[in-house]
Amino acid sequence: MRILVHASAFNSLTQRVTVELAHQGHLTAVSLDLGGGPRGDAELREAIRRHRPELIVAPMLTTAVPEDVWSRHVCLIVHPGPPGDRGPSSLDWALSEGRRSWGVTVLQAVAEMDAGDVWAAEAFDIPEHAAGGGIAKSDLYRNELADAASAAVLRAVERYASGAYRPRPAPPGVARPWFRQDRRQIDWSAEGTDAVARKLRTADSSPGVLDTLGGREYFLYGGQPEDELHGSPGALLATRDGAVCRATVDGAVWLTAARPRRTPGGPPTAKAPAAGVLAAAGLLRGVPEVGVRLRPHHKRQTWATVRYAEHGGVGLLRFSYPGGAMSTGDCRRLLAAYRYARNRPTRVLVLGAHRDVFSHGIHLGAIEAAPDPARESWANINAMDDLVEAILTTEDKLTVAALGGNAAAGGLMLALAADEVWVRSGAVLNPHYRLMGLHGSEYWTYTLPRRVGPEQALRLTTDALPLGPERALELGLVDRVLRCTPERVPDHVAELAEALATDPRLPRRLAAKRGALRRAEGRRPLAWYRAEELALMHRNFYGPDDEYHRLRRAFLHKVSPGATPERLRRIVA
């Protein structure tokens, strides 16, 4: 069928639905709502005229479909709640109430929001530690909710295409209001760790929890509980890897990011690592940096971006960064951990193996917050390159990048440095830099063509469109699709890696790897690729007419494009 995907943003869920519909053989194109109102309605009508869809699917829509559209076309709206749930903050309410299960409903657009006939619904479990422990709302949205939404959309489209299915009326329901800041407010003098963590996790990655520090208002993000540090409620106790530990009445939580609230008439602000934001305001004088062991003696509740463990002949270097953004410091710390893991007596070394986002590359928020964004960009990309080089030149181990979730730009190219790339079904991959006005580095001009060929590498980086795991497997971009739930990713990867480590063919594979690396170095040294890439990146960062800085700010400040980008208007094949 000809399907128009209409959405308020081309976010992770919109991308996933688009690529999965295309993989099912549907001819799809995208229309962005552009903030609603007359302009958004006009954009939708023009897309309908251009694409002539048989069906409209809206995976993520914050405004109403105009009557002249829904009365003439079947429009399927994805609502992030079970049948009967209504309102704009469904997942926030579910997490704040401690729900153990939730759902997604695909319903037909009518005059009343969330009240149309139901075409499909899919339930999903909320992991026990979702809001109060280790999983944030954004993680749940990208994973369990996205899995349910994908299944429900594909079932609804199949039912519509059959011509025989009749949707059922939506159950009666009352729309709940926006989950506003007055419900998120934290009383640091009275609330315990579990309550504070739940509020922070429910507000991640949007809108954050509004709070006051040092007389200025900030939106705070994070919520990982801390089990050792204690202090006066509300006090800032320690920093670690860009995060800040703040005391509750019975413990402490880690704040991973912060954004100063925009002052009336002032410039827009961007989210950045909490330690940098609060240090710039002079709020961290005397607050110590407190490390954590790479291999803790016992299971802890604390903030740690990198952990290492061993199982037989397998080393597991697990890492996870908020939103997948890796600052200069993050890259350097991960490189130090990688060097430690590389020197261990293991045969297989796994990178990632964590649920949710693998990496999205350099940390645009930290760069924007830096005194000299160009200089910080240069430091960040060189730190990424150092990490990739260490992986590429590892000769005595088979390396595996295990992607439990999405990856993009330099983060995906980081994965391609490994010998094998495994990705969970349902992840979205974006192998390009173009949308940020960057040429890109991370040795991608070496790793991407050797996997997919030079012509396909050029197409992927130029078209700047997302890929699903199945298509990536067909192209040779990845080697294995992990068909498991998000919660199963760490254990499933460990099991597969242990089988790889005991494979009798492994010594021959390692010998072949060493030979291939030597031959590649003889043809063109790795240093050549890095130098060529960085020469162009230097121009991106320091060139007087380059678009990178403008595009970075537009991305961070969520500036709406003037129209749906041409790359999305085309039919996505």
Side-chain angles (χ1 to χ4, degrees):
M1 285 196 302
R2 299 179 69 86
I3 298 178
L4 178 65
V5 176
H6 182 59
S8 295
F10 200 53
N11 71 345
S12 61
L13 181 58
T14 305
Q15 292 181 35
R16 177 167 177 181
V17 168
T18 301
V19 298
E20 290 189 354
L21 288 172
H23 192 70
Q24 293 289 320
H26 301 291
L27 301 177
T28 62
V30 175
S31 165
L32 296 183
D33 184 61
L34 304 176
R39 188 175 66 150
D41 293 348
E43 185 79 14
L44 174 57
R45 295 183 186 106
E46 170 58 22
I48 291 171
R49 184 199 64 77
R50 183 176 59 247
H51 190 56
R52 295 177 288 108
E54 300 167 74
L55 181 66
I56 299 173
V57 175
M60 181 265 183
L61 193 61
T62 58
T63 59
V65 177
E67 182 178 2
D68 64 297
V69 173
W70 62 254
S71 62
R72 298 175 188 173
H73 303 269
V74 173
C75 303
L76 301 183
I77 309 295
V78 176
H79 176 71
D85 177 80
R86 298 183 188 180
S89 302
S90 293
L91 197 54
D92 301 71
W93 284 105
L95 291 176
S96 70
E97 293 169 353
R99 299 293 185 100
R100 300 295 301 112
S101 63
W102 201 235
V104 174
T105 308
V106 178
L107 46 85
Q108 190 164 335
V110 293
E112 185 179 352
M113 294 284 280
D114 305 330
D117 289 348
V118 174
W119 281 85
E122 188 79 14
F124 63 90
D125 293 331
I126 297 178
E128 186 176 354
H129 54 304
I135 301 176
K137 177 180 68 172
S138 56
D139 181 337
L140 192 68
Y141 179 87
R142 286 186 292 261
N143 291 285
E144 281 85 356
L145 186 143
D147 286 353
S150 171
V153 166
L154 295 180
R155 187 180 306 116
V157 169
E158 183 180 3
R159 286 171 171 173
Y160 177 78
S162 74
Y165 184 80
R166 294 294 175 265
R168 65 182 188 273
V174 177
R176 290 194 281 190
W178 283 100
F179 202 92
R180 300 188 184 281
Q181 283 294 338
D182 57 356
R183 297 183 181 276
R184 304 184 192 276
Q185 187 175 8
I186 295 172
D187 184 350
W188 294 93
S189 66
E191 295 187 76
T193 298
D194 288 347
V196 172
R198 183 179 297 279
K199 287 183 176 181
L200 287 163
R201 294 261 164 201
T202 301
D204 185 89
S205 62
S206 177
V209 172
L210 187 62
D211 201 3
T212 301
L213 283 163
R216 182 167 185 184
E217 290 184 309
Y218 296 87
F219 291 97
L220 304 179
Y221 308 84
Q224 173 62 44
E226 164 63 34
D227 60 8
E228 290 187 357
L229 299 175
H230 301 272
S232 176
L236 303 179
L237 305 177
T239 63
R240 178 185 299 148
D241 301 353
V244 177
C245 188
R246 191 173 186 186
T248 65
V249 296
D250 61 356
V253 297
W254 288 91
L255 308 174
T256 57
R259 178 173 69 85
R261 188 177 192 180
R262 185 176 186 177
T263 58
T269 59
K271 182 166 60 173
V277 173
L278 300 185
L283 297 174
L284 296 181
R285 294 188 183 96
V287 177
E289 175 81 5
V290 176
V292 64
R293 293 176 62 93
L294 184 62
R295 303 178 69 181
H297 294 304
H298 59 281
K299 190 171 184 179
R300 287 197 56 194
Q301 275 198 320
T302 191
W303 168 251
T305 55
V306 186
R307 290 285 177 86
Y308 179 74
E310 288 179 5
H311 296 280
V314 177
L316 294 163
L317 187 62
R318 294 193 172 109
F319 58 86
S320 177
Y321 302 97
M326 299 173 65
S327 68
T328 303
D330 292 330
C331 295
R332 290 171 178 168
R333 285 184 288 269
L334 184 54
L335 174 59
Y338 182 84
R339 286 171 173 163
Y340 169 84
R342 187 173 60 182
N343 290 329
R344 296 292 300 161
T346 56
R347 295 179 293 279
V348 174
L349 179 52
V350 179
L351 311 170
H354 192 280
R355 60 169 288 143
D356 201 25
V357 176
F358 178 80
S359 173
H360 285 158
I362 60 175
H363 200 310
L364 300 178
I367 289 168
E368 182 70 9
D372 186 339
R375 183 176 181 179
E376 180 58 29
S377 299
W378 184 248
N380 204 163
I381 198 63
N382 273 281
M384 284 287 292
D385 280 1
D386 291 342
L387 175 60
V388 172
E389 181 186 19
I391 299 168
L392 285 171
T393 55
T394 299
E395 296 188 351
D396 61 339
K397 289 176 173 50
L398 193 73
T399 55
V400 175
L403 283 59
N406 302 343
L412 181 52
M413 304 311 175
L414 167 65
L416 298 189
D419 300 312
E420 292 195 12
V421 180
W422 303 347
V423 58
R424 190 183 85 84
S425 59
V428 177
L429 308 177
N430 278 280
H432 54 81
Y433 303 82
R434 177 183 145 197
L435 304 185
M436 208 50 58
L438 294 173
H439 171 269
S441 194
E442 292 94 7
Y443 295 85
W444 77 263
T445 53
Y446 169 70
T447 58
L448 186 59
R450 75 172 179 172
R451 277 191 163 268
V452 302
E455 291 184 7
Q456 191 62 248
L458 179 62
R459 180 181 178 185
L460 291 174
T461 53
T462 303
D463 289 354
L465 293 171
L467 291 175
E470 300 296 345
R471 179 59 177 153
L473 186 64
E474 292 171 3
L475 293 175
L477 188 67
V478 305
D479 302 285
R480 185 193 295 264
V481 177
L482 306 172
R483 306 188 190 283
C484 64
T485 65
E487 285 286 271
R488 267 284 288 159
V489 166
D491 291 340
H492 186 43
V493 168
E495 292 163 4
L496 293 172
E498 287 182 42
L500 200 58
T502 56
D503 189 329
R505 295 170 294 182
L506 183 57
R508 291 196 298 274
R509 288 192 64 182
L510 291 175
K513 172 184 176 177
R514 289 189 289 270
L517 182 60
R518 284 193 295 271
R519 289 191 295 274
E521 279 285 307
R523 290 191 297 270
R524 180 169 287 171
L526 286 175
W528 182 91
Y529 294 94
R530 178 169 180 163
E532 291 290 303
E533 292 170 359
L534 287 179
L536 293 169
M537 290 291 276
H538 192 275
R539 190 181 308 165
N540 292 154
F541 297 152
Y542 289 98
D545 300 320
D546 204 276
E547 289 193 316
Y548 158 67
H549 297 290
R550 178 184 65 80
L551 291 171
R552 184 191 67 247
R553 294 188 184 103
F555 172 78
L556 292 170
H557 300 150
K558 303 186 188 303
V559 176
S560 177
T564 300
E566 187 61 35
R567 66 191 178 89
L568 302 181
R569 290 185 178 191
R570 299 194 304 269
I571 294 173
V572 180

